[in-house]
Amino acid sequence: MTDRTFVVEYARSGRANCKLKKCESKNIEKDSARIGKKYPSARFTEDGVATDWYHIECFFQSQFSIKKSTKTTETEDDLEGFDSLNDDDKRRVRKGLRELNDVRSGKVKPPPKASGKKKKDDEGKSEKKEKNEKKKEKEKNYEREDIVN
């Protein structure tokens, strides 16, 4: 095993799931490019290694928010298996590396984090506003009835 922490390869099966919590598709399909972060684990063997897998774009999205002191990729040389990728996937990885390096160096701000909450559309807001106005009108009518009586 090499001393590199990150590996890139094509998925050998369709069983792995993307570790990014906000990933929309979760499943990493067979033969699609994926990036893995290796870490020590005694789960399978003593002194063994486990890997968390990500879609290429999801991996870089996860790296935007980590501490500057945390080890991450800076160049394609940090990725074991990079040379085995096809040209399109190499471009996707290089693009992610550029964006990550720009964010970490302070040249650009990271993309906004997606919140777990869904935003209400304008139609939903207007319905709620209308409902509140009707409720307030009813309350006023009750108050008027009390005054009259």
Side-chain angles (χ1 to χ4, degrees):
M1 184 178 94
T2 67
D3 61 346
R4 290 188 267 190
T5 305
F6 302 96
V7 61
V8 61
E9 68 179 27
Y10 292 104
R12 294 184 289 257
S13 71
R15 296 178 301 160
N17 286 321
C18 181
K19 294 296 180 191
L20 184 70
K21 290 180 182 174
K22 305 225 186 287
C23 177
E24 292 178 13
S25 63
K26 279 295 181 193
N27 184 261
I28 300 173
E29 293 184 24
K30 183 179 179 180
D31 299 323
S32 64
R34 63 185 182 175
I35 296 179
K37 181 176 182 182
K38 299 187 285 187
Y39 58 94
S41 172
R43 181 175 176 196
F44 301 111
T45 61
E46 193 173 317
D47 299 326
V49 174
T51 308
D52 283 344
W53 294 107
Y54 299 83
H55 296 103
I56 291 175
E57 290 76 12
C58 293
F59 173 78
F60 290 109
Q61 186 177 352
S62 75
Q63 300 298 295
F64 289 135
S65 59
I66 63 172
K67 296 178 186 176
K68 289 195 176 195
S69 60
T70 303
K71 182 175 178 161
T72 188
T73 57
E74 294 177 0
T75 69
E76 55 200 50
D77 294 332
D78 295 335
L79 294 166
E80 180 183 333
F82 179 81
D83 294 332
S84 66
L85 296 177
N86 67 37
D87 290 340
D88 287 339
D89 291 327
K90 284 181 182 178
R91 273 192 285 278
R92 290 171 57 207
V93 170
R94 286 182 180 131
K95 178 183 180 216
L97 286 168
R98 272 192 311 277
E99 291 172 357
L100 178 60
N101 289 330
D102 286 348
V103 167
R104 289 183 69 87
S105 69
K107 289 181 184 177
V108 296
K109 291 184 179 181
K113 290 182 181 178
S115 69
K117 298 177 183 176
K118 292 183 179 179
K119 292 184 178 179
K120 293 181 181 178
D121 58 359
D122 290 336
E123 192 174 300
K125 285 181 183 177
S126 62
E127 285 177 21
K128 188 172 182 178
K129 188 176 180 180
E130 189 176 311
K131 215 176 196 181
N132 283 338
E133 287 174 0
K134 284 181 181 180
K135 186 177 179 180
K136 285 180 183 179
E137 188 63 36
K138 273 186 176 181
E139 289 172 0
K140 284 181 184 179
N141 288 337
Y142 287 130
E143 288 174 11
R144 286 184 193 144
E145 286 177 11
D146 288 341
I147 295 172
V148 173
N149 293 334

